[in-house]
Amino acid sequence: MQATKTPIDVNPIDCSHYINGEFVQSKNGETFENMNPATKEVLGIVQIGGKEEVDNAVKAARTALKGEWGTMPAKKRSQIIRKIGDLILERLPELAMLETLDTGKPLWLSKSVDIDRAANNFHFFADCVTTTGNESYQQDDIAIHYSVRKPVGVVGLINPWNLPLLLLTWKLAPALAAGNTVVMKPSEVTPMTATVLVEICKEAGVPDGVVNLVHGLGETGAAITSHEDVDAIAFTGETVTGTAIMKAAAPTLKKLSFELGGKNPNIIFADANLDETIETTLKSSFINQGEVCLCGSRIYVQREIYDSFLEKFAAKAKELKVGDPFESETLVGAMVSEEHYNKVVSYLDIAKEEGGKFLIGGNTLYEEKGFYIEPTIITGLNQDSRCVREEIFGPVVTVLPFDTEEEVLEQINDTHYGLSASVWTTNVKRAASFSAQIEAGMVWVNTWFLRDLRTPFGGMKHSGLGREGGVHSMDFYTEQTNVTLKL
Ligand code: NDP
């Protein structure tokens, strides 16, 4: 692999906490080094927040709730939220560069998806502030019942590393739209764009104390989730962490929203348009190094087209460029961290032990440079294989043949996960009836990752709790009081 060619005209940053409108360092002096996974170079120093920082952040958030923010007219709040989106777009090149340095993902992807959609989250929820309605019922001439929305209070936002700014803003924008104050903790491996975001919030006019940021590891997150003065937690991450958070939040009965792991199936029927299917399946398998919760990592193909699908899919996947995230041709960059790279590599070993065949891939690349893994297609495994059942979260997919609709439906629903699925068929009747029977929060037909922010986003079973998006987010980030007015 060539050395990074694109001139990096943005300096990586050290990451401090942001509490009550000021950047501060940890009282205990604890820090860690933030690493660029594409080069193994140290990017900067990150503060590790302890109980004291979390306490201070929660206090600041509670105070801000009672201040200017708590009484701000909705129109003004909406203008501030819109301005945050505008400022993100103004700083898009810088934010995209920082996101790529932190994650190892291609720069073009950071620009076109991560940062662009982060701005869009604010623009979208700026509108929700003024357009979300409340329920109201007239009971003959006896009474009118109507609901009044109030912010939940202080909300903890805890986020993963795969789409750092995009997922953080997917929570921050509606939390602010509904009038809450927040304490955010980004993933330890991707702390930089959150640190720029708080600067942007201040510039946009967010009062001090409304948005607080505490960096750190899992323990920092745990201090937020168990804090008695935090009213709600919105979390995206692994299912096992969700379980820990649920336990920690139980004594204080916090409101919870979880977006968790997945093992999403792509189901390809023999009547599908094969070229379109393959084009999109390449993306749903390998984009962002397969590190998207919605990636389709187990592919089921009807037997009549199994061989021809594999032949074409493998040929196209072989052409995907892996390497320098700053190269415009790169589709698969570096895995986000050494720890995650080791996890994905361990599944390549498991696949071999389970008798899987690497149709393509199965190797690591440029080891002296960074954490790269080839796009990998595994065949020859059965439904009970760990590689078919467990979330790998890398550029690794399994492909299994199926004969009938009933058989494949049973296989795809045979999992604790229930996040998303992608169905490929030209038979509209089958598309509708089959999709309705899939145990997943989101099903795409003849497409993937196509989003409308008004739709309910989230998983069922062990893939999540509740839904985000449009009015669903506004419902989570508000409490409703029903008023009955006797006539
Ligand atoms: P983790 O669950 O490991 O971490 C997520 C966040 O939780 C991090 O900030 C982490 O801190 C923090 N954390 C860890 N332990 C605790 C704890 N006990 N209490 C509170 N916070 C804690 O997830 P990953 O970062 O590894 O992200 C990948 C996962 O996210 C995958 O499973 C993926 O499927 C899922 N995901 C789901 C999405 C969805 O919409 N359903 C979208 C994107 C990802 P630390 O800094 O130490 O890591």
Side-chain angles (χ1 to χ4, degrees), residues 159-162 185 188 218 221 235 237-238 241 259-261 293 391:
N159 276 82
W161 43 254
N162 61 330
K185 194 203 91 63
E188 75 192 67
F235 168 74
E238 287 190 39
T241 315
E259 302 292 354
L260 307 175
C293 55
E391 184 182 46

Side-chain angles (χ1 to χ4, degrees), residues 158-163 167 185-189 216-223 225 235-242 244-245 248 258-262 291-294 340 343 391 393 417 419 442 457-459 463-464 468:
I158 300 180
N159 276 82
W161 43 254
N162 61 330
L163 299 157
L167 293 177
K185 194 203 91 63
S187 166
E188 75 192 67
V189 282
L217 314 176
E219 294 77 46
T220 311
T225 58
F235 168 74
T236 299
E238 287 190 39
T239 298
V240 63
T241 315
I245 292 177
F258 286 170
E259 302 292 354
L260 307 175
E291 296 166 334
V292 180
C293 55
L294 304 168
H340 186 59
K343 178 188 156 184
E391 184 182 46
F393 220 55
Y417 290 118
L419 188 57
M442 292 160 288
F457 179 96
S463 287
E468 297 181 306

Side-chain angles (χ1 to χ4, degrees), residues 57-301:
V58 173
K59 261 186 219 139
R62 180 63 60 194
T63 306
L65 203 58
K66 295 177 191 146
E68 184 192 355
W69 188 249
T71 53
M72 189 176 280
K75 192 170 169 200
K76 180 155 183 219
R77 208 164 66 233
S78 170
Q79 283 164 348
I80 290 175
I81 293 167
R82 180 169 303 284
K83 177 84 178 164
I84 299 173
D86 295 345
L87 292 174
I88 289 175
L89 287 181
E90 271 177 30
R91 292 176 73 169
L92 188 145
E94 170 199 357
L95 284 162
M97 194 76 87
L98 293 177
E99 204 72 301
T100 286
L101 288 170
D102 249 354
T103 57
K105 72 174 70 188
L107 181 64
W108 64 264
L109 190 63
S110 291
K111 284 183 182 162
S112 61
V113 174
D114 293 71
I115 310 305
D116 191 65
R117 287 197 183 191
N120 193 36
N121 284 339
F122 285 101
H123 290 153
F124 174 79
F125 282 106
D127 289 339
C128 284
V129 176
T130 49
T131 55
T132 304
N134 297 338
E135 280 178 272
S136 142
Y137 303 96
Q138 174 148 7
Q139 189 181 12
D140 301 319
D141 58 354
I142 304 166
I144 297 173
H145 308 266
Y146 61 92
S147 67
V148 179
R149 285 181 191 269
K150 302 163 188 163
V152 177
V154 176
V155 186
L157 310 180
I158 300 180
N159 276 82
W161 43 254
N162 61 330
L163 299 157
L165 194 70
L166 172 54
L167 293 177
L168 182 60
T169 55
W170 179 234
K171 299 188 188 313
L172 178 62
L176 294 181
N180 299 280
T181 59
V182 305
V183 178
M184 318 190 285
K185 194 203 91 63
S187 166
E188 75 192 67
V189 282
T190 53
M192 289 199 289
T193 48
T195 310
V196 175
L197 179 65
V198 294
E199 263 176 32
I200 287 177
C201 288
K202 183 153 187 145
E203 194 184 337
V206 174
D208 291 349
V210 171
V211 173
N212 303 277
L213 169 71
V214 185
H215 289 289
L217 314 176
E219 294 77 46
T220 311
I224 299 172
T225 58
S226 59
H227 200 290
E228 60 181 16
D229 204 25
V230 171
D231 302 293
I233 299 288
F235 168 74
T236 299
E238 287 190 39
T239 298
V240 63
T241 315
T243 307
I245 292 177
M246 202 172 220
K247 280 187 194 154
T252 46
L253 284 174
K254 294 184 199 329
K255 204 173 176 187
L256 298 175
S257 160
F258 286 170
E259 302 292 354
L260 307 175
K263 185 71 183 176
N264 312 307
N266 286 14
I267 308 96
I268 302 168
F269 287 99
D271 63 1
N273 176 324
L274 204 53
D275 289 339
E276 274 180 25
T277 307
I278 286 171
E279 213 47 57
T280 305
T281 307
L282 284 168
K283 291 190 190 125
S284 70
S285 302
F286 303 121
I287 203 140
N288 207 50
Q289 305 70 245
E291 296 166 334
V292 180
C293 55
L294 304 168
C295 273
S297 53
R298 48 187 182 124
I299 302 172
Y300 295 86
V301 184

